[in-house]
Amino acid sequence: MPATVTGPVAELGATLMHEHVFGLSPEILWNWPDIPEGWDLETRAREAAAKLDALKAAGIDTVVDLTVVGLGRYVPAVQRVAELTSVTIVAATGLYTYDALPPYFGNRGPGSLFGGPDRLAEFFVRDLTEGIGRTGVKAAMLKCASDRQGMTDGCRRVFRAVAEAHLTTGAPITTHSHSASRGGLEQQKLLASLGVDLGRVVIGHAGDSTDLAYLEELVANGSYLGMDRFGIDTICPFDDRVAVVAAMCERGHAGRMVLGHDSYCFNDRFDAAVVRRRHPRYHLLHISQDVLPALRARGVTEEQIHQMLVGNPRRIFG
Ligand SMILES: [Zn+2]
């Protein structure tokens, strides 16, 4: 049974595989607490719970919160949201960097200035088996990232630690990838070389690509594709995102795609008003309200939608 913020559940149901509850900048909030995006846990938790309850009413049961260290993970706040909402929330562990490691990790470990053991894998395993911080909330998914810069030394260390934690615990892996440079292939190659079964890996942000040959190569290597940035139309427009998912379904790959928005209930790194203006459909209800109807109009069947929302997440966490 997959672990969630409120404990293990038998069924996740319809699941969005890449979302965020909160993205916080703790060092900014410590030092400039009066920023306009100011943080009040209870207020923001109630706001987030209301957004998630609207999602539940639109037919989604679970969100996987891929906020890991580097994105401002603060699980006590997510726990409060989970108490208030009927949506199930799955927590993740890992580290988000495109480049160097944060100094805490970068100054330790093999090849570093001060040396000593690398704590990344140890911390990830602790999150998965004992719980995050002092909350007792167990993570159920591992996350690592690489972007435009490719597999930097810092990224490589995170991938190695994620692979080690995966092999120790069996938890599935998701990535943040840079589709424009076909970055998912480099991620697959590294993970496979570390002994990871690519069938336990979601290549996140694959849906930013309209290159069907690239996507089919990722699938042929065994991984799931994260079609997970619906609403971020400046990277890839709505019609293209929908057309790619429909085409991949037609080619028999509905069993290899998962859906999401990569949205935040609250993120202090965005100016919410500007984001609403520039990306009016970048919110949690976009898939239910706009994407699923558009997929149906393009011939995607209910069975295929069920696979992407229910069956594939069940297998990934199974
Ligand atoms: Zn994300």
Side-chain angles (χ1 to χ4, degrees):
M1 292 208 296
T4 79
V5 172
T6 46
V9 295
E11 284 294 338
L12 295 174
T15 302
L16 300 181
M17 287 291 288
H18 190 141
E19 307 297 340
H20 302 271
V21 180
F22 297 128
L24 301 175
S25 306
E27 209 171 0
I28 302 295
L29 292 166
W30 287 345
N31 291 288
W32 295 286
D34 299 324
I35 52 170
E37 300 77 25
W39 166 253
D40 176 74
L41 191 154
E42 186 62 22
T43 308
R44 296 301 181 190
R46 288 185 181 280
E47 258 174 35
K51 290 180 183 181
L52 290 166
D53 285 345
L55 183 66
K56 180 81 176 185
I60 301 293
D61 305 300
T62 299
V63 296
V64 181
D65 181 355
L66 291 179
T67 314
V68 295
V69 171
L71 288 169
R73 185 180 68 175
Y74 185 56
V75 172
V78 180
Q79 247 181 327
R80 179 65 183 134
V81 177
E83 277 174 18
L84 294 168
T85 180
S86 50
V87 169
T88 301
I89 305 171
V90 175
T93 187
L95 195 134
Y96 185 85
T97 179
Y98 299 167
D99 190 358
L101 289 170
Y104 181 89
F105 296 106
N107 288 337
R108 289 186 164 83
S112 65
L113 182 58
F114 297 108
D118 184 339
R119 290 190 178 158
L120 286 165
E122 177 197 329
F123 285 5
F124 298 163
V125 170
R126 185 182 303 173
D127 285 357
L128 292 157
T129 58
E130 292 171 37
I132 298 166
R134 305 201 194 289
T135 62
V137 170
K138 287 180 188 165
M141 191 160 216
L142 285 150
K143 181 178 180 186
C144 44
S146 65
D147 203 83
R148 195 182 306 273
Q149 302 90 320
M151 198 60 73
T152 65
D153 290 346
C155 293
R156 193 178 305 274
R157 265 185 65 188
V158 178
F159 273 70
R160 283 187 178 281
V162 160
E164 190 183 328
H166 161 78
L167 294 173
T168 304
T169 64
I173 298 171
T174 188
T175 71
H176 161 110
S177 70
H178 186 247
S179 283
S181 58
R182 299 161 56 93
L185 293 171
E186 188 183 25
Q187 297 182 334
Q188 286 185 319
K189 198 170 154 203
L190 176 56
L191 289 170
S193 78
L194 296 168
V196 173
D197 169 3
L198 294 180
R200 304 300 316 288
V201 176
V202 180
I203 300 297
H205 310 328
D208 288 349
S209 178
T210 54
D211 179 349
L212 295 184
Y214 166 61
L215 297 176
E216 287 201 302
E217 203 173 334
L218 294 173
V219 168
N221 291 336
S223 298
Y224 292 87
L225 307 177
M227 315 310 271
D228 55 17
R229 277 178 159 175
F230 280 102
I232 310 187
D233 293 347
T234 46
I235 298 179
C236 182
F238 172 77
D239 288 335
D240 288 352
R241 289 186 188 274
V242 167
V244 166
V245 173
M248 291 294 282
C249 284
E250 208 179 311
R251 293 178 185 212
H253 305 307
R256 284 288 166 204
M257 290 185 285
V258 292
L259 306 180
H261 307 91
D262 197 6
S263 74
Y264 286 80
C265 293
F266 171 75
N267 185 352
D268 67 21
R269 294 183 295 272
F270 294 167
D271 187 318
V274 173
V275 170
R276 265 196 302 277
R277 199 162 59 239
R278 291 196 56 194
H279 302 91
R281 291 189 289 200
Y282 179 39
H283 59 78
L284 273 175
L285 299 174
H286 178 42
I287 287 177
S288 308
Q289 290 178 345
D290 310 306
V291 175
L292 299 182
L295 289 173
R296 291 183 184 108
R298 285 179 180 267
V300 175
T301 66
E302 292 308 316
E303 193 191 342
Q304 289 168 326
I305 288 172
H306 190 265
Q307 264 182 304
M308 293 187 281
L309 283 177
V310 180
N312 299 341
R314 183 192 288 144
R315 265 192 297 151
I316 289 165
F317 287 107

